[in-house]
Amino acid sequence: MKRLIMLSAFTGAMLMTTLAPLGATPKSGSTEKKPFGKTPDGQPIDLYVLTNKNGVEAAITNYGGAVVSLKVPDRNGKFADVVLGYDSLDGYVNDKSYFGAIVGRYGNRIGHAQFSLDGKTYTLAKNNGENSLHGGIKGFNKAVWAAKELPAKNGQSLELTYPSKEGEEGFPGNLHVRVVYTLTDSNELKIEYSATTDKKTVVNLTNHSYFNLAGPGSGDILGHQLVIEADKFTPVDASLIPTGELRDVQGTPLDFRKATAIGARIDQDDEQLKLGHGYDHNFVLRRAAGAPISLAARVVEPNTGRVLEVWTTEPGVQFYTGNFLDGTARGKGGLTYARRSAFCLETQHFPDSPNQPKFPSVVLNPGEKYSTTTTYKFTTEK
Ligand code: GLA
């Protein structure tokens, strides 16, 4: 009897779905897990395709926690993938540009690849001249993360965790790292980073997505209009290590307080632009007083009307114009990525903070919780 009722209820439900007029049932999001290949040492890697109720799609792999693709609509509802990346795992294994990856234990540079805590000097792997960049030779972008789909109220969530061992790339302390990606039904990719340690250490986590809001194969990003909510930036020396100064953007080509095309001043005769080979600078964000999360940057692509807003709890953002992209890597759909064909907005604490006592601290003590949030929000304008 019970079976019969269940069966008829099931047929009823089936009928309702078949008979419901097209588009009447509200769409819901989904997460699909697919195999993405094996690492050279044989570990299976997955790709998680998160789709929200508007059809926005974020594909994330647990190799390096990389955002592989991000498909968002333009002002006419036409979807395009707005991030650079690779079609297969091999691309990520061989990648040198950090496409879409989670960067750690220390995003950005540490001068002379060393720092001291409580009088003890720690020597890190040098992978950028004399400096340590983005966590070292095998940073979090090359780690295999444990992945778990999480229930989310307003979207789809994927949790990634990684236990970074004491001494990894020279950093002290066992660091337990957790990153939760949520694709919300408001077309945001929210990234929540947290970490705990068993010994005093330094942490600075970010995501290294390269954006081109015009979509794949659409050339350079110089026509994108950019606002950065910063009155100051941290000028750098020839090895891109901050000098320690917080310099006013006023009167410099780093003034993005009003919407300006990325390319409008990029080739100006300017000492900082020359050192960075374009923009490759950390901006000191003007944080909204008392607000838990503030707008860091807003980018508009005029032809498609796609808009990206970056919101963060972090004090800084590295604006990088893909100056080192050289068209050699084979990207998605066989595309190659030329110099300045994408930009990054890497939310972070300032570069070289472990050696800069005046910069906000990146020290994490046992018993404390590192916790930051960054949201990439997509909208359109006419
Ligand atoms: C960051 C750095 C750049 C470059 C890229 C990766 O944005 O600041 O100098 O190293 O990462 O290529």
Side-chain angles (χ1 to χ4, degrees):
M1 182 62 189
K2 207 170 169 195
R3 248 206 187 153
L4 223 135
I5 296 170
M6 271 177 63
L7 204 80
S8 58
F10 178 69
T11 338
M14 287 271 292
L15 259 173
M16 270 177 63
T17 5
T18 352
L19 295 181
L22 252 144
T25 32
K27 282 190 208 144
S28 64
S30 62
T31 298
E32 197 195 338
K33 178 180 170 184
K34 302 178 187 174
F36 197 48
K38 280 192 177 153
T39 61
D41 62 354
Q43 298 185 70
I45 301 296
D46 294 310
L47 186 69
Y48 294 81
V49 184
L50 282 54
T51 310
N52 77 3
K53 72 171 175 45
N54 312 316
V56 167
E57 186 193 288
I60 296 159
T61 172
N62 63 317
Y63 184 82
V67 177
V68 170
S69 67
L70 193 49
K71 295 176 185 161
V72 300
D74 69 4
R75 65 162 74 90
N76 301 315
K78 190 171 162 244
F79 282 75
D81 185 1
V82 294
V83 293
L84 270 45
Y86 305 100
D87 283 323
S88 71
L89 178 61
D90 289 0
Y92 290 92
V93 169
N94 298 316
D95 168 79
K96 292 188 176 56
S97 306
Y98 304 84
F99 285 163
I102 297 171
V103 174
R105 190 181 290 201
Y106 194 90
N108 218 309
R109 293 173 176 77
I110 297 181
H112 301 288
Q114 70 176 42
F115 65 95
S116 301
L117 285 175
D118 294 338
K120 186 168 167 21
T121 299
Y122 295 94
T123 304
L124 308 171
K126 288 182 184 164
N127 63 332
N128 186 242
E130 282 301 294
N131 304 325
S132 166
L133 173 68
H134 292 335
I137 294 160
K138 188 178 180 289
F140 292 179
N141 58 308
K142 299 287 181 194
V144 176
W145 296 66
K148 194 168 127 195
E149 292 168 41
L150 290 184
K153 277 202 200 100
N154 171 36
Q156 305 293 312
S157 282
L158 180 71
E159 176 198 69
L160 299 173
T161 51
Y162 174 63
S164 169
K165 295 212 174 67
E166 155 106 50
E168 201 177 283
E169 300 297 307
F171 289 98
N174 289 294
L175 188 78
H176 189 267
V177 192
R178 179 175 186 258
V179 175
V180 179
Y181 280 107
T182 303
L183 177 66
T184 74
D185 286 333
S186 322
N187 298 356
E188 300 158 321
L189 184 64
K190 180 175 173 189
I191 316 176
E192 292 163 286
Y193 305 85
S194 55
T196 51
T197 184
D198 60 2
K199 190 172 171 185
K200 195 169 191 168
T201 191
V202 296
V203 195
N204 194 24
L205 305 177
T206 192
N207 175 278
H208 211 303
S209 286
Y210 285 72
F211 297 97
N212 185 324
L213 300 181
S218 51
D220 66 50
I221 41 75
L222 301 178
H224 286 54
Q225 295 278 329
L226 170 69
V227 173
I228 303 181
E229 299 288 331
D231 302 312
K232 290 178 190 295
F233 72 105
T234 51
V236 289
D237 67 15
S239 70
L240 294 185
I241 295 294
T243 60
E245 184 195 350
L246 305 185
R247 189 178 291 173
D248 286 342
V249 294
Q250 171 89 45
T252 78
L254 286 88
D255 189 349
F256 282 100
R257 291 174 299 175
K258 289 206 186 92
T260 309
I262 291 177
R265 300 161 300 185
I266 200 166
D267 290 320
Q268 253 180 31
D269 186 12
D270 173 83
E271 182 223 16
Q272 283 298 314
L273 287 179
K274 284 207 176 107
L275 292 171
H277 308 276
Y279 295 101
D280 195 350
H281 294 84
N282 170 66
F283 287 73
V284 179
L285 293 171
R286 186 193 319 125
R287 310 282 304 280
I293 189 160
S294 304
L295 183 65
R298 187 169 193 272
V299 193
V300 180
E301 201 291 301
N303 297 321
T304 58
R306 288 197 186 90
V307 180
L308 164 65
E309 278 180 11
V310 182
W311 291 76
T312 190
T313 58
E314 288 281 22
V317 67
Q318 183 85 4
F319 172 49
Y320 170 59
T321 40
N323 312 311
F324 300 124
L325 294 176
D326 59 6
T328 50
R330 203 178 159 76
K332 286 181 276 190
L335 286 175
T336 51
Y337 300 128
R339 184 164 190 246
R340 297 181 180 162
S341 58
F343 64 88
C344 302
L345 286 162
E346 305 154 54
T347 55
Q348 60 181 11
H349 271 55
F350 307 167
D352 199 33
S353 293
N355 296 310
Q356 304 268 358
K358 289 196 183 132
F359 287 178
S361 171
V362 288
V363 173
L364 184 71
N365 290 295
E368 293 174 351
K369 189 175 176 189
Y370 171 94
S371 175
T372 74
T373 302
T374 292
T375 297
Y376 293 103
K377 183 177 172 65
F378 295 91
T379 56
T380 60
E381 65 179 37
K382 290 287 161 218

